[in-house]
Amino acid sequence: MKSLDLCVDFSDIVTVQKGSGRRWTPERDLDQLHNLKHDESETIRVAGKNPFLWHDHWPVKDYAQVFECLVLVEEFSNEADKVVAKIREFGSKSKSKSKSNIDSPYVAVHMRIEKDWMIHCKKLEQRSNVSEICSSKNEITSRVSNIPGLKTPTVLYLAVADALLEDRSILNGWGPGLHPVEKKKLGVVEIYKNHPYLIQSAIDYEVCLRADVFVGNSYSTFSSLVVLERSRKMVKMGVKRGCGIGMNVKWPSFAYNLKGEFGGPRPWMTDFLDSSLQAISYGSNNISC
């Protein structure tokens, strides 16, 4: 799905086979690299299952550097272009005055209410004794509708796994001036159907990444990775911390499972000083604010 072509000189690469299992430690990582003895090589390819999310001892700042070299391959980027264009077109039509599609902003909501997620999050709440993981549809719609400073009318793209969705009323109950759409209403179902589930997720990831505002669940790895990349862009623009961020900055993100001001979702920014990927891999209610 992602390519390293922009940053890598493929003529000088050493491949390291990543270990599997949680007994793989930072010390074993370093020992393995030292034993390679390829002093002249500047690029290391880490091969293996989930080589970057596993294992959790990667510091967030180091892991974030991977995104500096990642670009969505053209085939799937073009598919995301089509979806984003449809969203912005829908948004421009919902406004009283005519605007170009490019100028029409949208909010992406990673709406985790599918049956597999609800089973998982309820078990997670019981194990961790935390009550802010699962969110009902009503809680999500209420908090998104109360994002301070959100200009309306605006279109909401609901990123949801349609095949696993039991609640078919997700387009109902949103606040005034919010116009929700999902794949069927947008007319992009066929775009997604042409690809396997993993690629569908990659397209949705890109659509969420490009959104003017993103709202997700802080215990979802998908949401956490979207926020990581959006936060990286914010840091480049001089934003230092997540507290107090809102609609006054570019690339704002929010967690709807955590209550913020005025009944809205809590502002969310990745903590780049975190020494591990624990929060990104497994979720957290500590979201830099």
Side-chain angles (χ1 to χ4, degrees):
M1 292 180 293
K2 293 272 188 173
S3 168
L4 291 170
D5 296 1
L6 295 184
C7 299
V8 174
D9 176 7
F10 286 97
S11 64
D12 184 25
I13 291 181
V14 175
T15 298
V16 178
Q17 186 66 37
K18 187 67 177 171
S20 60
R22 301 189 185 186
R23 295 181 181 178
W24 201 261
T25 63
E27 291 74 24
R28 291 184 67 184
D29 274 346
L30 290 174
D31 287 343
Q32 186 184 45
L33 292 175
H34 289 154
N35 291 334
L36 287 174
K37 296 181 180 179
H38 286 274
D39 297 333
E40 297 180 359
S41 299
E42 295 184 357
T43 304
I44 298 174
R45 176 192 286 122
V46 183
K49 184 178 180 181
N50 302 322
F52 291 115
L53 261 186
W54 300 101
H55 304 277
D56 302 319
H57 58 254
W58 278 68
V60 172
K61 188 176 181 180
D62 291 346
Y63 179 62
Q65 292 180 14
V66 173
F67 287 87
E68 296 285 346
C69 296
L70 290 179
V71 59
L72 191 64
V73 294
E74 186 175 3
E75 177 187 357
F76 306 136
S77 180
N78 290 341
E79 299 288 57
D81 290 343
K82 297 173 187 175
V83 177
V84 171
K86 284 281 190 179
I87 296 172
R88 295 199 186 280
E89 179 184 0
F90 186 93
S92 65
K93 290 179 179 178
S94 69
K95 296 180 181 295
S96 57
K97 56 182 179 179
S98 177
K99 285 189 176 182
S100 69
N101 295 349
I102 295 177
D103 294 330
S104 183
Y106 71 95
V107 178
V109 183
H110 182 219
M111 206 166 178
R112 296 272 16 212
I113 57 171
E114 306 93 338
K115 57 185 178 183
D116 65 323
W117 169 259
M118 298 308 293
I119 293 172
H120 165 73
C121 73
K122 287 175 181 177
K123 290 181 178 179
L124 186 58
E125 284 187 338
Q126 292 173 352
R127 290 198 306 267
S128 58
N129 197 28
V130 174
S131 61
E132 296 178 312
I133 301 177
C134 301
S135 289
S136 66
K137 190 204 88 169
N138 289 340
E139 183 175 78
I140 296 172
T141 56
S142 174
R143 289 186 177 169
V144 172
S145 300
N146 286 298
I147 295 177
L150 181 63
K151 295 181 180 180
T152 57
T154 191
V155 61
L156 306 179
Y157 173 67
L158 309 182
V160 62
D162 306 77
L164 299 173
L165 185 65
E166 291 185 326
D167 186 348
R168 297 297 171 181
S169 65
I170 60 172
L171 296 179
N172 302 328
W174 300 90
L178 301 180
H179 302 281
V181 294
E182 31 73 85
K183 297 175 182 65
K184 184 177 180 180
K185 189 170 183 178
L186 272 182
V188 297
V189 172
E190 292 304 316
I191 292 177
Y192 286 85
K193 277 188 174 181
N194 290 332
H195 303 286
Y197 181 78
L198 186 61
I199 304 304
Q200 293 178 26
S201 297
I203 296 171
D204 257 356
Y205 177 92
E206 188 69 13
V207 173
C208 290
L209 184 62
R210 298 183 193 180
D212 298 86
V213 181
F214 173 72
V215 192
N217 188 302
S218 67
Y219 281 84
S220 161
T221 305
F222 179 100
S223 289
S224 296
L225 288 172
V226 172
V227 173
L228 170 64
E229 196 160 356
R230 291 172 66 90
S231 298
R232 184 178 61 83
K233 294 180 179 182
M234 292 174 67
V235 169
K236 283 190 171 184
M237 297 178 66
V239 179
K240 301 296 184 182
R241 57 199 298 266
C243 284
I245 64 172
M247 300 306 298
N248 58 322
V249 297
K250 194 173 183 180
W251 310 111
S253 301
F254 299 86
Y256 56 65
N257 59 303
L258 301 173
K259 188 176 182 180
E261 294 182 344
F262 309 109
R266 191 178 302 175
W268 184 3
M269 186 175 178
T270 300
D271 182 4
F272 288 98
L273 298 180
D274 203 335
S275 60
S276 78
L277 296 176
Q278 181 77 19
I280 293 175
S281 297
Y282 301 106
S284 173
N285 56 10
N286 180 12
I287 56 174
S288 295
C289 199

